[in-house]
Amino acid sequence: MLVSVPTFAQRWSPAEVVTVAPSDVLTGGAPLAVNGGPKSRTRPEPPMFPGGMEIGDAERAAVLDVLDSKRLIRFYGPDDTITYSAVDTFEQRFAERMGTPYALGLTSGTAALITGLAALGIGPGDEVIVPAYTFVASPSAVLAVGGIPVITEVDDTLTLDPAAVRANITPHTRAIMPVHMRGVPSQMDELQAIAREHNLVIIEDAAQACGASYKGRPVGSIGEVGCFSLQMHKVITTGEGGMLLTSNAETLFRAKCFHDSASEWRGAAWQDPDPAVRATFQAFPGMNFRMPEITAALGSVQLDRLNGLVGRMRTHKAVLRAAVAATKRVELRRLPDAHGDAAIAMIFFTETPLLAQRVAQALVAEGVGARVLYVEGQHDWHIYACWRDILAKRTWNAAGYPFSMARRPIEYDANMCPQTLSLLQRAVHLDVSPRLSAQDVEETAGALHKVLTALC
Ligand SMILES: Cc1ncc(COP(=O)(O)O)c(C=O)c1O
């Protein structure tokens, strides 16, 4: 007989109550909390805002400095003698940390993606390969410049599957957008080889992976363009904000033009110190995605915190991965570069979707903030099957643009990436907060051992 266990907050609807067999209840004499045993975790899970939770005196002082100067936009303020710009400084420091010559501050990660695509010349009808597991902003940015997102399977890294990328290339493909989901770098060697072979550009979506690296190179610095989000949930945050990286002077120039509707007023070349740059490149009309001074001041302080945050998360995650590996009961997410993981999350795969739900539910009962990445019927904007508007090719205009510009028939389907759905349905996800104490980590490792041994 199966014992019914209550659902946990907002994750399961009443119709999806999961059951745990009494025979699974005991492991080494330790009853699962889901079946009435003691909880493994003695403290609540800290909120998962890595940089956001660290905001303190340094951020306050930096923001107040900008307010006191009344120079809220990077170009000018009431006092002509103040020429310092917090955005200039943040860009320089961000570029330096990521090992690229250039960075451009923007208003959001989405703005960075749109600007990056425009800077690379992606336009109407151009196909861009995007993973089936990413925030909807990635394909939306492609649509914003008139491109066609080609939704492509992820593999057991939960990043783009190189074989699927290869299979989806057509004569109209212009770019690949690897997304370093949940802090894990994509398989950049393989993707770069494909890009070289087919003369494609790579625009990295590093929104969730600030501080991660691949074979020693910071993510975001590897493709032609790299894009970051500084939104509240991200590793470091300014509430809202974005950053673009490139090593190419022309791409930077084009990004500057695109992100600034007044770029012509600023001499179009955007005060580029190199006259050759000013002379060579043609300007064009743009948007307004300019980063404000207050955002940049905050961002600079958060950048100082980046290495510490990632270091703490990596230490915690190593303990948790070892605990899962030791049980030999489930398969850990494959990491293309384990040393480069930003370590914001730990994910493992169970054999079946139902088992993943049972494991997550049992972990939640232990006081661990676990969840399954995809439960059919539940909406999540990070999963292509939930991108209802995109699947229906519905955009902001009656003409059906940009799908009207597609150079071949484009059809989407909620079942078009079964490998991705199967992985996500079997994926149990735990946040790895930098604010976990050593005791929290130890207790979580204990909970993982207890639950996986009992249920898997
Ligand atoms: C993978 C990914 N890409 C892009 C974005 C968009 O960033 P923003 O919210 O700053 O526009 C996000 C943010 O949620 C994201 O997670």
Side-chain angles (χ1 to χ4, degrees):
M1 195 187 85
L2 296 177
V3 178
S4 189
V5 180
T7 58
F8 68 90
Q10 289 144 9
R11 282 284 155 209
W12 275 276
S13 67
E16 291 165 320
V17 169
V18 179
T19 54
V20 174
S23 56
D24 294 332
V25 167
L26 292 176
T27 166
L32 295 179
V34 77
N35 289 318
K39 276 170 84 161
S40 301
R41 282 284 296 272
T42 50
R43 289 201 323 153
E45 202 75 75
M48 191 56 188
F49 302 109
M53 294 299 289
E54 309 282 308
I55 289 174
D57 290 344
E59 280 86 351
R60 191 175 299 116
V63 169
L64 287 177
D65 276 353
V66 175
L67 286 178
D68 289 343
S69 77
K70 297 192 172 56
R71 187 184 156 116
L72 303 185
I73 167 167
R74 73 187 294 171
F75 307 109
Y76 48 79
D79 182 347
D80 288 343
T81 65
I82 304 175
T83 53
Y84 169 83
S85 156
V87 183
D88 286 347
T89 304
F90 185 31
E91 286 173 351
Q92 282 158 19
R93 298 190 60 233
F94 201 91
E96 204 171 300
R97 166 63 180 79
M98 300 303 170
T100 52
Y102 310 118
L104 181 67
L106 295 126
T107 45
S108 69
T110 308
L113 288 170
I114 296 171
T115 301
L117 288 161
L120 292 170
I122 308 298
D126 290 340
E127 294 181 14
V128 179
I129 291 182
V130 298
Y133 176 47
T134 180
F135 185 54
V136 68
S138 316
S140 296
V142 176
L143 294 172
V145 297
I148 308 292
V150 176
I151 301 171
T152 300
E153 295 271 25
V154 300
D155 61 17
D156 58 348
T157 65
L158 297 184
T159 65
L160 273 177
D161 177 348
V165 170
R166 206 175 269 286
N168 277 352
I169 290 173
T170 74
H172 318 297
T173 311
R174 288 284 314 281
I176 304 173
M177 184 185 283
V179 183
H180 310 301
M181 275 302 272
R182 308 307 296 137
V184 168
S186 306
Q187 298 161 85
M188 296 306 292
D189 280 350
E190 291 83 345
L191 297 177
Q192 281 188 299
I194 297 170
R196 270 194 301 272
E197 213 176 295
H198 294 273
N199 198 23
L200 309 175
V201 288
I202 290 187
I203 173 165
E204 291 176 76
D205 181 339
Q208 299 193 2
C210 192
S213 61
Y214 178 76
K215 301 194 176 171
R217 298 176 68 186
V219 298
S221 73
I222 303 167
E224 275 72 14
V225 163
C227 301
F228 294 83
S229 167
L230 300 168
Q231 184 265 351
M232 185 68 195
H233 273 294
K234 305 304 185 290
V235 179
I236 58 171
T237 186
T238 56
E240 298 274 20
M243 195 58 94
L244 178 152
L245 295 180
T246 182
S247 301
N248 182 297
E250 180 173 4
T251 306
L252 177 75
F253 171 82
R254 291 174 56 87
K256 283 176 170 179
C257 285
F258 189 80
H259 100 301
D260 181 10
S261 46
S263 64
E264 289 282 4
W265 279 350
R266 288 180 245 290
W270 247 77
Q271 303 156 345
D272 196 298
D274 183 350
V277 173
R278 290 201 294 276
T280 314
F281 305 135
Q282 293 280 302
F284 50 81
M287 313 281 127
N288 178 359
F289 294 150
R290 298 185 302 260
M291 178 178 275
E293 287 286 287
I294 289 177
T295 301
L298 194 52
S300 262
V301 179
Q302 285 274 300
L303 187 62
D304 290 335
R305 302 190 186 281
L306 179 61
N307 293 346
L309 288 166
V310 172
R312 275 148 61 198
M313 292 189 287
R314 284 179 177 161
T315 304
H316 300 161
K317 184 167 172 179
V319 176
L320 300 181
R321 270 178 73 87
V324 171
T327 67
K328 297 192 169 68
R329 303 295 175 106
V330 290
E331 193 190 327
L332 279 160
R333 176 187 189 183
R334 183 162 62 84
L335 306 179
D337 178 355
H339 301 294
D341 181 6
I344 59 171
M346 186 186 66
I347 297 170
F348 57 83
F349 304 105
T350 60
E351 258 177 33
T352 66
L354 180 63
L355 189 53
Q357 293 183 36
R358 292 173 64 192
V359 166
Q361 191 172 22
L363 284 169
V364 167
E366 299 292 340
V368 176
R371 65 190 168 93
V372 179
L373 284 178
Y374 178 49
V375 177
E376 219 176 328
Q378 284 178 20
H379 204 80
D380 183 332
W381 286 110
H382 297 85
I383 297 153
Y384 83 95
C386 301
W387 302 340
R388 282 183 302 237
D389 304 336
I390 292 181
L391 295 187
K393 294 188 282 184
R394 190 167 43 244
T395 59
W396 61 95
N397 61 94
Y401 175 88
F403 291 106
S404 54
M405 305 299 288
R407 298 182 198 124
R408 63 178 176 102
I410 297 288
E411 289 306 330
Y412 301 126
D413 183 303
N415 297 312
M416 66 191 284
C417 294
Q419 174 177 298
T420 299
L421 294 185
S422 163
L423 284 161
L424 295 176
Q425 283 177 322
R426 295 183 292 110
V428 178
H429 172 288
L430 273 67
D431 285 332
V432 181
S433 165
R435 292 180 90 81
L436 291 170
S437 68
Q439 186 182 338
D440 294 332
V441 176
E442 202 178 299
E443 289 173 357
T444 305
L448 284 163
H449 180 267
K450 189 163 87 161
V451 167
L452 295 181
T453 313
L455 300 187
C456 298

